[in-house]
Amino acid sequence: MTLTQRGLANLADAQRSTFTVDPGHRVLQFASPSFDASVFELAMALCSGATLVLPPRRDVLYGPGLGDFLADTRITHITLPPSVLAMVPERELPHLETIVCAGEALPSSWSTGGHRAGPCSTRTAPPRPPCGPRSPGPRRAAASR
């Protein structure tokens, strides 16, 4: 994957405006640094002055422990595949503001109910405005390849 300096700057600008990422926010580094998707998270945090939160172990990022990790580290922005997001048990995540789903299609069941996100897709970069109805709580956007 080749990413030009201008392309990275455009990605960072789009992320700041679309996902409202500023200093004081905390972005989870979910993707492995060996995966090109990690650039999305790195740019979101570092180009906006936000904190990039690295998990102490990869196993923290899967299953019920993910919800605890998100709460304990006060994560405000996450980018996760829907299948990983579905493993997070329902719980209060008072700091979480933005959820970006990427890498796979959103389940059709997410178009109603507590998830409040409808199926939509955009290309990885630049991100588009959040999908689904505007409602209080976290903003949600989806990106599919």
Side-chain angles (χ1 to χ4, degrees):
M1 174 175 142
T2 302
L3 180 63
T4 65
Q5 183 177 359
R6 180 176 291 165
L8 182 61
N10 290 341
L11 173 64
D13 285 343
Q15 288 174 323
R16 276 193 302 273
S17 64
T18 302
F19 304 129
T20 316
V21 187
D22 296 307
H25 285 114
R26 299 173 60 81
V27 178
L28 174 64
Q29 176 71 50
F30 175 81
S32 166
S34 63
F35 186 49
D36 61 0
S38 67
V39 174
F40 187 84
E41 295 161 334
L42 287 165
M44 184 184 298
L46 302 181
C47 295
S48 65
T51 299
L52 183 67
V53 179
L54 305 173
R57 303 178 323 273
R58 295 296 301 166
D59 64 323
V60 168
L61 299 178
Y62 299 94
L66 178 56
D68 294 335
F69 183 77
L70 295 174
D72 294 346
T73 56
R74 301 178 324 276
I75 298 296
T76 60
H77 292 70
I78 58 173
T79 302
L80 298 173
S83 58
V84 173
L85 186 59
M87 288 190 273
V88 178
E90 286 196 30
R91 62 163 298 159
E92 286 292 317
L93 295 170
H95 301 284
L96 188 60
E97 297 177 20
T98 302
I99 299 169
V100 180
C101 287
E104 52 193 50
L106 288 172
S108 61
S109 63
W110 286 20
S111 62
T112 61
H115 295 289
R116 294 191 202 127
C120 67
S121 72
T122 63
R123 297 194 183 260
T124 300
R128 305 243 171 116
C131 303
R134 292 260 180 208
S135 62
R139 288 179 296 280
R140 292 165 173 84
S144 297
R145 289 187 143 180

